[in-house]
Amino acid sequence: MVFRVRLPALLALPLMLAGCVFGGGGEEDRPQQRIRPRAGGPVTVRRPATADTLQCHAELAQAGVRFTPLPDQDFGSGCLVEGAVRLDDYGLPTSGLKAIRCPLAQRFVAWTRYAVQPAARIVYGQAVVRIETYGTFSCRGIVGNGPAASGRVSQHGLANAIDIAGFTLSDGRRVTLTDGWNSQDERDRRFLRLIHESACKRFTTVLSPDYNAAHYNHFHFDMSGRGFCR
Ligand SMILES: [Zn+2]
């Protein structure tokens, strides 16, 4: 798909992207800028769910998803979980899920049903029976040494991002981002690229192993930005 991005916006993109922390060299040099949950634990923000959140809950329920609405919580350092749910059962066992903002949960479920499963059937003639993730909510900063990393909270700190690590097919075959993205087996490459392409139509930021070294082992999807697919 084509993204129309004006040049100034393009230059700003690395600053806007909500990266994932797997390592993150250089951050130790700036302890004062580290983002972490406050020691005393999160503060629950008691307020009624917004109309958008209630609408999202209704749509999730209509889609046959079992979920638990979570209270809004402020973890400090800008980490704030608002309008999140816990996915209890959406039809596919998935590891690593924690709090996830409802609109992201909706898109994630739709992606597994209408992109991941069809792609697995086309490419392998099988269903996906399990998804592995590196999680959703995590109070942390954006990876790296640049200005973007200077104290900016990751979309994970807002429960607005999910990292996808791999899939298990019905015959037990495991397809991971680490081994599959540039696999010798053409089917793995095709499957992962098909579902990546579909993700770019569903999530507003999509990062693959092609984006940078920090993403060699997962897809990062989040609902920030206006359409970045790499
Ligand atoms: Zn991520």
Side-chain angles (χ1 to χ4, degrees):
M1 73 188 293
V2 177
F3 290 103
R4 292 167 195 279
V5 182
R6 282 174 294 118
L7 190 58
L10 195 65
L11 294 173
L13 268 173
L15 307 183
M16 293 156 53
L17 290 179
C20 316
V21 176
F22 287 95
E27 295 190 340
E28 296 307 304
D29 300 337
R30 300 189 309 272
Q32 76 283 5
Q33 291 173 333
R34 257 187 237 156
I35 291 172
R36 58 178 130 193
R38 79 161 64 79
V43 174
T44 298
V45 185
R46 300 197 186 279
R47 60 186 159 208
T50 65
D52 284 352
T53 296
L54 292 175
Q55 176 67 26
C56 186
H57 289 170
E59 288 171 11
L60 260 191
Q62 201 159 30
V65 175
R66 282 209 308 113
F67 65 96
T68 305
L70 300 176
D72 292 352
Q73 288 194 305
D74 184 344
F75 288 78
S77 289
C79 295
L80 186 62
V81 174
E82 291 176 299
V85 298
R86 188 185 66 221
L87 288 176
D88 297 318
D89 184 5
Y90 73 95
L92 197 53
T94 303
S95 66
L97 289 180
K98 292 185 192 169
I100 180 169
R101 290 204 70 207
C102 188
L104 177 67
Q106 240 182 331
R107 282 165 178 79
F108 170 69
V109 169
W111 176 74
T112 65
R113 290 179 178 176
Y114 307 119
V116 173
Q117 292 294 18
R121 266 179 237 117
I122 289 167
V123 174
Y124 302 105
Q126 294 185 58
V128 167
V129 296
R130 182 178 164 80
I131 297 184
E132 293 160 50
T133 82
Y134 288 137
T136 49
F137 173 74
S138 172
C139 183
R140 65 198 194 211
I142 291 175
V143 70
N145 299 315
S150 301
R152 282 202 53 198
V153 69
S154 159
Q155 288 294 312
H156 288 285
L158 307 175
N160 201 32
I162 183 167
D163 292 337
I164 311 290
F167 308 86
T168 304
L169 305 177
S170 52
D171 73 350
R173 178 189 180 120
R174 217 168 137 249
V175 183
T176 63
L177 270 292
T178 304
D179 298 325
W181 187 252
N182 292 311
S183 172
Q184 301 284 336
D185 188 330
E186 184 268 337
R187 290 177 300 172
D188 297 343
R189 299 198 307 274
R190 187 162 163 238
F191 169 66
L192 293 175
R193 276 158 186 79
L194 276 173
I195 62 176
H196 173 263
E197 192 182 321
S198 174
C200 289
K201 295 172 186 158
R202 298 168 187 276
F203 306 95
T204 53
T205 295
V206 171
L207 308 177
S208 76
D210 283 350
Y211 176 61
N212 66 13
H215 292 80
Y216 78 97
N217 62 354
H218 66 284
F219 287 140
H220 166 101
F221 304 153
D222 76 52
M223 294 305 296
S224 72
R226 283 179 231 158
F228 186 81
C229 170
R230 188 70 61 82

